[in-house]
């Protein structure tokens, strides 16, 4: 390691005094002006990780659905998955090291993780459309180069596209070509193969209005348009030419406020969807003839995909194990529908994509979505190999056709991470093949009314949970209080969990009516305030 170069470059990316950040599920996120030293050091870390694994690592500059003035950075592991938890700790240590300790921390990481600094390093870089992203990705390059690493800067890409390309690179092209064209070709080919099978009567045009959150999704969808057949008409709104990123639009805004985004004019019964700022989440919605807004969130997306896959799996008659993975935030009626009507096993895990992804890997077909619209489907190696073999060798027509559809689904789904573009195409293909309208999809089950609240506390660590965050272990007496409150309402449940990023406690409640869900959420928030050290004034109803 050239300590002189490290010192020189580090001085160009100084750490603000007293700033301390934590690498979480979404990597680092903060105000953009506080991040220069962090992204430089993540360039260093990406080079170290690459040397340790002898593989290409990805680094994405984005803050997803956060306001435009924020930014962030996260690393992507070789198969397009999130950074390994043991290295999250190194990331935090490196980001928070004072200037004079930087070299020592790098040396310690090399010792702990058995990194040979003489090995080659290769890093793929991507960024979103924030004004601060270009300069920050230049700082990433400085970090990679100090340690003698090679890099490829893809410039403006969606987060899932970077994950995809890292996976392609490290599978020697088995997963696809590590270029944007490779991504567009793989997805569009699988999509066209699927919708060829749909028997539409007369009007074959498929219109969809897409709110792109004034982010990267708009640019990349426009690039992809030439790859689609004429009958697929994508109408892009909030394309970033007029308004600010994520301002009053995007998947997070629509899900949280339960209302349509600005900048998109909805007519009754039109299919609409929203991406988030870096295009790794999607939610659908429509207005009925009475003007009521209907949100179709991640739970309903998982349900639609599960129905379709279950039918195909039944036709190929292999003993594949399929399951749906949810978090405690999944609507109770979605869980009921999946288990009781569809007869699909459902598993609940802690909040956070890495927990869902990890659990989904245990099955031949693992469907996972968070209610916020982030999710995908994972196919085991064995299942994928068997399906591709059936396509080539199966004599029985029905079995072979079903296997062919499954093969196209495998190619259309971005298995590395939730991907708004890929998920949108999966949904559009299923609706076309099943001849479903957005209303019929929505009517599969009615969501139980629910309410999300948060309470500020002095220290979020006073709350400890168990049973996939559905029950509170501490502080004493809180869970008993919640149990008593839940008993007052029909079809009700409630849970509390500490935020991963700030000193707030998040509260979720559902019940038979909106009024009851609101009342239960409020009563639980008061219990949290009094038993868990609430700050400021007690919550008001």
């Amino acid at each position: 390691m050239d300590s002189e170069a490290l010192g020189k470059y580090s001085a160009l990316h100084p750490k603000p005094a007293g700033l301390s950040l934590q690498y979480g599920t979404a990597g680092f996120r903060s105000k953009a002006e506080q991040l220069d030293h962090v992204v430089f050091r993540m360039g260093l870390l990406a080079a170290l990780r690459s040397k340790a694994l002898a593989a290409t690592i990805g680094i994405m500059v984005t803050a997803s659905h956060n306001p435009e003035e924020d930014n962030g950075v996260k690393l992507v592991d070789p198969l397009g998955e999130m950074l390994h938890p043991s290295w999250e700790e190194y990331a935090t240590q490196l980001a928070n090291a004072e200037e004079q300790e930087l070299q020592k921390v790098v040396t310690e990481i090399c010792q702990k993780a058995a990194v040979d600094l003489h090995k080659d390093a290769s890093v793929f870089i991507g960024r979103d459309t924030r004004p601060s992203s270009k300069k920050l990705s230049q700082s990433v390059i400085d970090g990679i180069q100090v340690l003698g690493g090679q890099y490829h800067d893809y410039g403006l890409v969606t987060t899932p596209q970077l994950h995809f390309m890292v996976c392609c690179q490290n599978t020697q092209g088995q997963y696809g070509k590590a270029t944007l064209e490779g991504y567009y070709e793989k997805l569009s080919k699988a999509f066209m193969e699927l919708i060829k099978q749909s028997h539409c009567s007369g009007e074959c045009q498929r219109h969809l209005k897409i709110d792109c959150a004034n982010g990267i999704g708009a640019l990349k969808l426009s690039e992809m348009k030439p790859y689609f057949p004429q009958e697929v008409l994508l109408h892009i709104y909030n394309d970033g030419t007029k308004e600010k990123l994520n301002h009053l639009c995007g998947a997070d805004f629509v899900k949280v406020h339960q209302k349509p985004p600005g900048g998109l004019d909805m007519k009754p019964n039109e299919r609409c969807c929203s991406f988030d700022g870096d295009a790794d989440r999607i939610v659908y919605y429509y207005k009925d003839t009475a003007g009521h807004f209907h949100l179709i969130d991640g739970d309903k997306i998982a349900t639609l995909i599960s129905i379709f896959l279950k039918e195909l799996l039944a036709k190929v008659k292999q003993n594949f194990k399929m399951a749906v993975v949810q978090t405690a935030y999944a609507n109770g009626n979605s869980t009921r529908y999946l288990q009781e009507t569809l007869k699909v096993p459902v598993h609940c895990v802690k909040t956070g994509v890495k927990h869902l992804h990890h659990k989904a890997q245990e099955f031949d077909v693992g469907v996972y979505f968070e209610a916020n619209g982030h999710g995908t489907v994972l196919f085991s190696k064995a299942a994928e190999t068997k399906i591709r073999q059936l396509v080539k060798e199966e004599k029985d027509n029905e079995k072979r056709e079903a296997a062919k559809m499954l093969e196209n689904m495998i190619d259309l789904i971005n298995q590395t991470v939730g991907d708004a573009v890929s998920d949108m195409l999966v949904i559009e293909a299923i609706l076309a093949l099943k001849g479903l309208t957005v209303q019929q999809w929505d009517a599969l089950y009615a969501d139980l009314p629910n309410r999300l609240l948060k309470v500020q506390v002095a220290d979020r660590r006073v709350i400890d949970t168990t049973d996939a965050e559905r029950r509170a272990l501490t502080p004493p007496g809180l869970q008993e209080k919640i149990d008593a409150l839940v008993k007052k309402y029909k079809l009700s449940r409630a849970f509390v969990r500490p935020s991963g990023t700030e000193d707030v406690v998040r509260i979720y409640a559902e019940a038979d009516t909106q009024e009851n869900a609101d009342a239960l959420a409020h009563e639980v928030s008061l219990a949290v305030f009094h038993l868990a050290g609430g700050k400021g004034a007690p919550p008001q109803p």
Side-chain angles (χ1 to χ4, degrees), residues 31 128 135 179 198 256 268 315 323 364 387 443 449 451 454 519 533:
K31 290 274 169 274
D128 71 10
K135 189 173 170 298
T179 61
S198 74
V256 171
K315 285 180 185 163
D364 290 312
I387 288 163
R451 178 63 63 208
K454 54 186 184 183

Side-chain angles (χ1 to χ4, degrees), residues 29 62-67 130 246 252-253 276-278 280-281:
R29 290 214 188 141
T62 180
S64 190
H65 55 274
N66 281 34
R130 291 163 198 274
N246 295 326
D252 198 58
F253 173 84
D276 71 336
D278 65 339
D280 66 356
R281 293 185 186 183

